[in-house]
Structure formats: structure tokens, C-alpha cells
Amino acid sequence: MSKNELSKREGFANYVERVVSDRCATFLARPEQRDRLARLVMGLVPKNPKILECTPASVAMCLLHCAELGLEPSTTTGHAWLIPRWSKQAKANELTFLVGYKGFLELAHRVGNIRTIYAGVVYEGEDFTVSIDGNGVAIHHTPNLSRGFDRSDDALIASYVIVTTSDGGTYSEWCTRDEIDQRRAAGGSRSFSPWSTHYPRMARKSAIRKLFGGGAVPMTGQAAHQLRKAIEIDVEAELREIREKAEARPAPLILLDGDDSEPLDGLFAEGGEE
């Protein structure tokens, strides 16, 4: 590590520690909680050094999201992802907070009236049916446990979630492969993305978010507020990505006779997107 890189890392670590101590204490009352969050964030830097290049405001916002929701930014827990993304508007890298599949499960388990929650994925060739009648939605899935069965990302055709509540209610939702890929295109087309390394998890997350975002499951209390807040943050991250992509599309280059101007830099010009 060069002297400049070491200095940058030390400066970033000091900033993280300051934000966690000063601004996250409202949500993380115990010093060991704040220390753990700072360590987890610094543990992500070797895996993606571009985190060091992100704007201070975006880093602070991600730390606050982690603290408020009580989700750890760790690839081990899968609760949340902190991903650097180039912002055309800010002309800089910004750190983006994304809730992971296990993060949504964790938040749902905290809601008092939710008794069980199961999320699954379906691969081509498995028995999977969705029945809708006056009693609601019924999902039936029989996984294929055969050795050598194709469970690659390309073979995944759907995801679903089933929730039961303490009053005996059952709530279900599912996503087709097209829906899953539309969500991936909305916010996961970067080279460093949980979609690239954990596609089945992100497919499950799509179904979970669809169910709880639809408002069908009755929820009350602080845990319910956290779950709704997580959905809002996740949706906003996708919408921001969509806006960035729309603004980044270059206008068609029209060369008139005698026009010797140079073409504009493309989308992946130096300093641009990954």
C-alpha cells in the first residue's frame, strides 16, 4: 500500500469513526455497537477500494441507514450492501445502501405478528404452481433434489415468499424471471453488484420486497416502521440509478458536411461508470 493510499484510508477511517460516534449514537446507544459498525465498514474497503473515493455525504447517509435499521453491512450476514456508484449528477462516486435478502428477513422476523417467513427460488423443471381463489393465493413448490440438477442462475425461473402471521393468516407473493431481471436492470447492472455474485438471494429479495411493499401483510410497531423504511430506501436507490442511466445516454452524434469536431466521450470514458 502506497503512502498516499494509506493516508486516504486513515482519513476515511477517521471520518467513519466520527460519523458513527456523533450521528449514529441515536440508534446505537452502546459503544460496542458503534465500534462494530465502523469495523464492518472498514472491512469492506479491501474488497472494494472505490469506497474510499465516495463523497462524505453519501458515506454518512449509508452509515445512518445501517444504524437506523439495525442492519450490518457485511457480505457474511447478507444484511446490507454498500456499493460505490459513479454519479453523473455529483460527478463523483457515491456510496449506495442496498438492503440484502437476509436483511429483509431479519427485519420481517422482528415484526411481532409475523410467525414464519420462507422465501424460495424455482428452477426450470421443478413443480411450481400458483393458485388464486376466494381464499387467497396458494403457492406449491416441489424442489428437485436430484444430483446434477441444473441450479445455475440461468436456470432460475421464479422466486416466491410465504408469510404466516400469529392470527393464522397466510400471505404469499411471487416474481417471474422477467420481473426479477427487470429489477436487476433497474439497479444491478454494475460490475460490483450483489446481483453478479448472489443472484438467487437477490431473486428472493425481489419477492419479499414485492409482498411487503404491497401492504397486504398487517404490521404495526417500530419493527414494521423499519421494514417499510428499508423498502423505501431500496426503491429510492433503484430510482436514482434509473435516473442516472437516463441522463447518461448520449444524444445521437450528427456530423454535418465539413464538421471535423471530435465525438463526445462515451458512457465508459475515464472517470465515468464502472
Side-chain angles (χ1 to χ4, degrees):
M1 183 181 297
S2 68
K3 185 176 181 180
N4 183 53
E5 290 172 332
L6 181 60
S7 176
K8 182 184 292 186
R9 181 164 180 169
E10 289 176 347
F12 181 82
N14 291 334
Y15 179 74
V16 168
E17 184 177 350
R18 189 163 65 250
V19 171
V20 169
S21 297
D22 297 344
R23 301 179 62 182
C24 296
T26 302
F27 307 105
L28 303 176
R30 299 196 304 274
E32 58 267 26
Q33 292 177 310
R34 300 192 290 273
D35 290 343
R36 179 172 175 79
L37 176 56
R39 288 198 308 272
L40 287 171
V41 172
M42 292 307 302
L44 299 174
V45 172
K47 302 172 186 176
N48 194 343
K50 283 193 174 183
I51 291 176
L52 299 176
E53 303 171 8
C54 293
T55 62
S58 67
V59 173
M61 184 60 67
C62 287
L63 290 170
L64 284 169
H65 288 332
C66 290
E68 181 180 4
L69 299 178
L71 297 179
E72 296 187 339
S74 166
T75 55
T76 302
T77 64
H79 282 179
W81 300 81
L82 302 185
I83 302 176
R85 288 176 171 174
W86 177 261
S87 169
K88 290 284 185 179
Q89 184 176 4
K91 295 181 174 59
N93 280 308
E94 292 184 331
L95 199 60
T96 300
F97 175 90
L98 293 179
V99 183
Y101 148 66
K102 291 187 177 179
F104 275 119
L105 286 182
E106 170 67 21
L107 292 171
H109 280 303
R110 295 177 191 169
V111 179
N113 66 311
I114 293 181
R115 187 164 59 87
T116 65
I117 176 170
Y118 177 78
V121 292
V122 184
Y123 294 97
E124 188 172 5
E126 292 182 333
D127 179 20
F128 179 68
T129 59
V130 178
S131 302
I132 305 173
D133 57 26
N135 295 320
V137 178
I139 291 179
H140 174 78
H141 176 213
T142 304
N144 189 324
L145 304 180
S146 303
R147 293 182 62 184
F149 181 72
D150 187 2
R151 298 183 184 86
S152 65
D153 292 351
D154 290 340
L156 194 153
I157 61 172
S159 64
Y160 64 92
V161 59
I162 302 172
V163 170
T164 62
T165 55
S166 55
D167 61 0
T170 300
Y171 303 86
S172 307
E173 190 57 88
W174 75 96
C175 287
T176 64
R177 175 65 186 239
D178 285 345
E179 288 179 285
I180 296 168
D181 284 344
Q182 285 172 9
R183 181 149 290 166
R184 177 179 187 173
S189 59
R190 308 296 182 115
S191 57
F192 185 88
S193 165
W195 284 101
S196 302
T197 54
H198 297 84
Y199 187 86
R201 289 187 183 184
M202 297 300 285
R204 290 180 174 94
K205 168 186 165 177
S206 298
I208 295 171
R209 210 181 82 177
K210 184 178 178 182
L211 174 63
F212 288 106
V217 182
M219 300 185 301
T220 58
Q222 178 62 22
H225 169 75
Q226 288 181 320
L227 181 52
R228 295 190 184 98
K229 179 75 172 180
I231 294 173
E232 291 175 5
I233 293 171
D234 215 57
V235 171
E236 175 55 33
E238 285 187 1
L239 293 177
R240 189 164 59 250
E241 179 77 352
I242 292 172
R243 289 194 296 268
E244 285 280 346
K245 288 179 179 179
E247 294 170 1
R249 292 194 186 100
L253 181 63
I254 301 176
L255 296 179
L256 303 177
D257 290 342
D259 187 351
D260 57 356
S261 59
E262 293 292 329
L264 298 175
D265 287 338
L267 182 61
F268 296 98
E270 182 178 357
E273 291 194 63
E274 299 175 26

